[in-house]
Amino acid sequence: MFKLSKLIEKLLLSIVLVAITGVAFAHGERNQEPFLRMKTLHWYDVKWSVDNGSTIKVNDEVTLTGKVHFFSSWPEAINKPDTIFLANATPGPVFLRKASYLNDVPMIQSTSVDLGRTYEFKVILKARIPGRHHVHPMVNVESAGGLVGPGIWVTIDGDADDFVYSVTTRTGLVIENLGSYAVQNVVNWHIIWALIATFWLFWWIKRPMLVERYLKVKAGSWNELHTKNDKLLALFMIGFIIGLLIYANNVTRDAYPRTIPLQAGKVDVIALPIHNDGLGIARVKEGRNNALVVVRNKKAEYFLPGRTVTVVAEITNNSTLPIQLGEFTAANIRFINHDVEFAMKGVDEGYPDELVADQSLQVSDNTPIQPGETRTIKIDATDVAWETERLSSLLNDPDSSYGALLFFFDSEGNRMISEVAGQILPTFID
Amino acid sequence: MSLTAPEKKLLKAITTKGSAAAKIVRQLDLIVVGILFFAIIAAFHIHIMLTVGDWDFWVDWKDRKNWVTLTPMLLIFIPAALSYPFMQRFGLPIAGTLCALCLVIGEWVSRIVGFHMWTYFPYSMIWPSIAIPGLMLMDLVLMLSRNALVTSIFGGSAVALAFAPANWPILAPYHLPVVHIDQVVSVADLIGYSFTRTATPEYLRIIERGTLRTFGGESTLISTFFSAFVCMVLFFIWWKIGEWVTNLGTVPNRFKSMVGYSEEEDDEDAKETV
Amino acid sequence: MAATQEGLASSKSVEGWKLNLKPMFLGMLVLIAIFGTARWYQQWAAWDYGLDATDPMFDTYWMTVLWAEIIVEVTLFIVFVTYFWVTRDKHLNELTPRKEINRMIHWISMLAVYAFAFYFAGSFYAEQDATWHQTVVRDTSFTPSHIFLFYMAMPVFIIIGFSLFTYAITRLPVFAKRISLPLVLTVCGPFMLLPTVGYNEWGHAFWLMEEYFTVPLHWGFVFFGWSILALAGLLNQLVKRMILIMPLVVDEQGNLTS
């Protein structure tokens, strides 16, 4: 009895373990490991051409714009972004991707980007399948999968059958609807070949098959198994099949004399300039004393019960105006300093609420940092978002490190962005 | 090999039109046709989908190199192996044809119900390739030659040689050039770009990327002939595997005493391998 | 039409040949009901509640289904296999050839139900898996596609296979006297799918994060597909057995004599 209860206990534990590990091994939007989400892509200035929660019609367009920064302290676990693809995280082709650009370079093909650099993206989508969909920009990075930006909800209204996407080829052919182009031809050929195959099968199935033929094979009666008619038919079928293939290809060559193979070259794109003056970002791996704002991570902790991340950082202001920390952003969550007006203005109305914590950024010394001053400040970012976005599972991470962007604003509203990264320590005691 | 007396009697019995014996074996035939139909769809389809499936799913994976080279090689495994029992036991030259037809039925059902109805991909993007002509030619060569070596050379190679010609008539319209956002792409590329596969980006396509030499655009021919040579070898190997599996036979059953057989009793007929 | 055997003192009548395919059709209908319902469920619940595994609604709509499936399947497996074993024919050595033929044909018709389940596991739900995972961001091992493929279609297929195996070795002389290797491979081999699922999930978590089908972590399933070759071997054995026992129950004109 004791042995049985021990067995049951082990069984239950293994079921529970499977359940937990099934979740912990996951790697999607929220179930990607925190170090992965905080030290790869940072998305900012993201704008959608429609409002969060709005309803649009089939065939309407939605444009996503903004900036994406490739963190310089990139995780070792995944490949460098030498092969990436600009995409959109929507539930598959519920939107059609009409165009995409990275720093104005068209992105039908894949490209490569540099670490520590920022790129402007633009993705134009066309509504296709009715329903309520989450729409994010995304970059696929080879070996890492899709790294997803912030998303809004858009409802598509109407009839999917009304969707139309027309294209004109270089040879002058107008394709009325890309989704159904040349499909009838595909179906026709499949039917033709299926009928031929069915005929051949039927030729044999209509006769006794198993027991009789087994006995005849055993008796060696091959002339009964394959009669003269069967052989003639087989010869005819060979000729017919080969003839049909030749005919079909001749007709096709005449109908489509100019074709090209699949295109698969990479495109080149140049990053935005490096300055931390709002266009570029000062990188953690550079001791850039000539950057306008230099940030050095001193210590970082996360306090699990209180859902707080605390970063102690040394800030040096090399600009000519006083600056304040306005925003701390990591893994698409934006912690805004309520007391910095320019930072509050930087949050668009309609930006996904669940990703903005505008009451929750505390800076130990919020007074402006003067030009030339170096000050060590303690930054507290507290919000339930750490938990809902599952970033508190840092405890399960084999790499306990963090990465974030700090947005500083000077007294004239100019923005300077710096990376900050380092080890992060778990704290359970207040 | 000749028939024993009971076998001769049975042959007479089942060839008597309308007899109970004829009915029994005919019903057995039809049930087995049903079994084979579903089982072959399942087995051949899962084999193909997990080896060369990606090329088959998407129009923008159907290139001149990997698709044309690999698909025939993988297509030949199961039909070649099944050719052995079908032909050597039952004299039926239908393994390749049956496999090809079953495959295309399974694929179409999945593309319609799964790819289109569930995840909304358009048919221009997800149509399956045609495998029937090559595999039929393989059957026909086997029937006329009744020789595994001859079939390897002419039938095996036919699977590859017929593949590109069978599919070009349906693929050609998708290889017209288009200029989209200042880039030249084929219609197939544009379809792949336009209809988002969230987790399957462009760079994942295992296709011809910057061929070193195209020999005047003959990439497809080169891929085809290479594939044909490999198919010749593969046909023979899988024919032999089919032979082995068909003749696997039996092993002793330790539990037979629990159903009434004594330990000494054995089944000589089952032990004998043909 | 009953025919009396010549020379026998008793007026024993011969049972005419009547093929009862009702169990086969019933089995197929049950499978259509199960798999059809699952597919209908996926059509809406996958999109509405299946995209984010961290959402509590995912637990409600998907994880409960998963746990229910596992409990039901394990129970059914134990019940069916035990039932067929416990009710085995303990006097198989006394089985008449006619009864053997009846049973064999019946068993072969149920093999059609097995093949039908194989179709759903190996073709229908399997290729759907591609389109689901190549479309959405995978964030759990228990995706809406997997819950019906690995944890329903494949177990159902395995339950039917093991039931058929147990029936065969307890009621059919051809499979009871000696264990047929093709039979084991055909109906029990698919059990090896389950460890393959583990290998697959390990691969998706630790090895490859990109979503395409032609990767080594999937190739365990390809081996499973090759069990069809064993089906050919099985048919070979069945036909050989039919040829051995049919002459005992029919005369030269093809009439049943017992």
Side-chain angles (χ1 to χ4, degrees), chain A residues 318-330:
Chain A
N318 290 329
S319 74
T320 54
L321 291 169
I323 61 171
Q324 279 180 296
L325 175 63
E327 185 174 331
F328 170 101
T329 176

Side-chain angles (χ1 to χ4, degrees), chain A residues 106-414:
Chain A
M107 283 287 143
I108 299 183
Q109 304 298 350
S110 304
T111 187
S112 74
V113 293
D114 295 324
L115 288 183
R117 305 299 293 268
T118 308
Y119 300 79
E120 271 194 53
F121 69 86
K122 182 174 176 184
V123 178
I124 303 174
L125 305 173
K126 189 167 170 170
R128 185 170 166 252
I129 305 289
R132 186 168 171 262
H133 310 300
H134 219 206
V135 182
H136 322 235
M138 180 176 78
V139 169
N140 291 95
V141 175
E142 194 176 38
S143 86
L147 300 169
V148 180
I152 61 166
W153 287 101
V154 177
T155 301
I156 301 176
D157 218 357
D159 198 338
D161 290 335
D162 292 337
F163 180 78
V164 148
Y165 188 58
S166 179
V167 156
T168 304
T169 70
R170 203 68 167 165
T171 55
L173 174 70
V174 175
I175 296 172
E176 297 291 340
N177 214 340
L178 197 60
S180 55
Y181 169 62
V183 171
Q184 192 58 53
N185 182 48
V186 172
V187 170
N188 291 344
W189 277 109
H190 270 102
I191 289 175
I192 289 169
W193 288 114
L195 286 173
I196 295 171
T198 308
F199 166 76
W200 182 245
L201 290 174
F202 187 70
W203 182 259
W204 298 97
I205 292 173
K206 70 174 166 42
R207 317 206 298 234
M209 282 169 61
L210 299 172
V211 175
E212 186 177 319
R213 292 186 79 89
Y214 192 96
L215 290 166
K216 285 182 175 170
V217 166
K218 194 171 179 221
S221 321
W222 285 98
N223 287 335
E224 283 179 52
L225 286 161
H226 300 152
T227 63
K228 200 159 154 228
N229 278 348
D230 293 335
K231 290 179 188 162
L232 281 171
L233 179 64
L235 276 168
F236 170 76
M237 298 287 295
I238 290 177
F240 181 76
I241 289 171
I242 294 174
L244 184 57
L245 288 172
I246 294 172
Y247 167 76
N249 278 270
N250 282 342
V251 166
T252 305
R253 197 179 42 236
D254 292 339
Y256 301 99
R258 282 198 191 87
T259 56
I260 60 170
L262 293 176
Q263 299 294 301
K266 260 188 182 163
V267 290
D268 292 319
V269 63
I270 303 171
L272 291 174
I274 303 175
H275 303 289
N276 62 344
D277 56 359
L279 288 176
I281 287 173
R283 300 182 285 195
V284 284
K285 283 190 162 173
E286 290 186 5
R288 288 169 53 80
N289 293 325
N290 57 345
L292 291 176
V293 178
V294 175
V295 174
R296 284 209 174 80
N297 173 72
K298 293 290 183 194
K299 189 177 180 189
E301 290 182 331
Y302 68 99
F303 176 48
L304 211 59
R307 301 155 178 165
T308 302
V309 165
T310 303
V311 173
V312 175
E314 181 189 87
I315 319 291
T316 303
N317 182 2
N318 290 329
S319 74
T320 54
L321 291 169
I323 61 171
Q324 279 180 296
L325 175 63
E327 185 174 331
F328 170 101
T329 176
N332 294 332
I333 306 176
R334 304 173 64 181
F335 294 86
I336 314 292
N337 190 341
H338 197 69
D339 297 327
V340 177
E341 195 192 322
F342 293 116
M344 291 298 283
K345 280 203 187 125
V347 181
D348 293 334
E349 204 181 301
Y351 195 89
D353 261 338
E354 68 277 10
L355 295 177
V356 178
D358 59 8
Q359 306 286 338
S360 318
L361 186 67
Q362 305 292 331
V363 181
S364 57
D365 183 353
N366 215 9
T367 58
I369 302 172
Q370 298 304 316
E373 185 188 344
T374 296
R375 188 191 297 180
T376 300
I377 59 172
K378 182 160 150 291
I379 306 162
D380 283 303
T382 305
D383 200 80
V384 70
W386 285 118
E387 211 168 281
T388 52
E389 289 295 313
R390 301 184 64 79
L391 296 167
S392 47
S393 61
L394 270 166
L395 200 58
N396 277 329
D397 238 334
D399 181 0
S400 201
S401 63
Y402 85 103
L405 293 187
L406 299 179
F407 289 46
F408 295 91
F409 294 86
D410 67 19
S411 47
E412 282 174 7
N414 297 311

Side-chain angles (χ1 to χ4, degrees), chain A residues 90 97-100 110 128 138 141 170 178-179 181 185 190 200 205 207 209-210 213 218 226 249 260 263, chain B residues 1 7 26 29 90-91 93 120 124 128 165 169 173-175 177 180-181 189 193-194 196 198 202-203 205:
Chain A
T90 52
R97 177 164 52 224
K98 208 173 154 194
S100 51
S110 304
R128 185 170 166 252
M138 180 176 78
V141 175
R170 203 68 167 165
L178 197 60
Y181 169 62
N185 182 48
H190 270 102
W200 182 245
I205 292 173
R207 317 206 298 234
M209 282 169 61
L210 299 172
R213 292 186 79 89
K218 194 171 179 221
H226 300 152
N249 278 270
I260 60 170
Q263 299 294 301
Chain B
M1 214 176 185
E7 286 169 351
R26 190 61 185 148
D29 281 353
F90 304 103
Y120 309 117
S124 61
Y174 297 99
H175 279 239
H180 185 71
I181 52 174
D189 292 310
Y193 168 76
S194 303
T196 309
T198 317
E202 184 282 321
Y203 58 73
R205 297 187 296 165

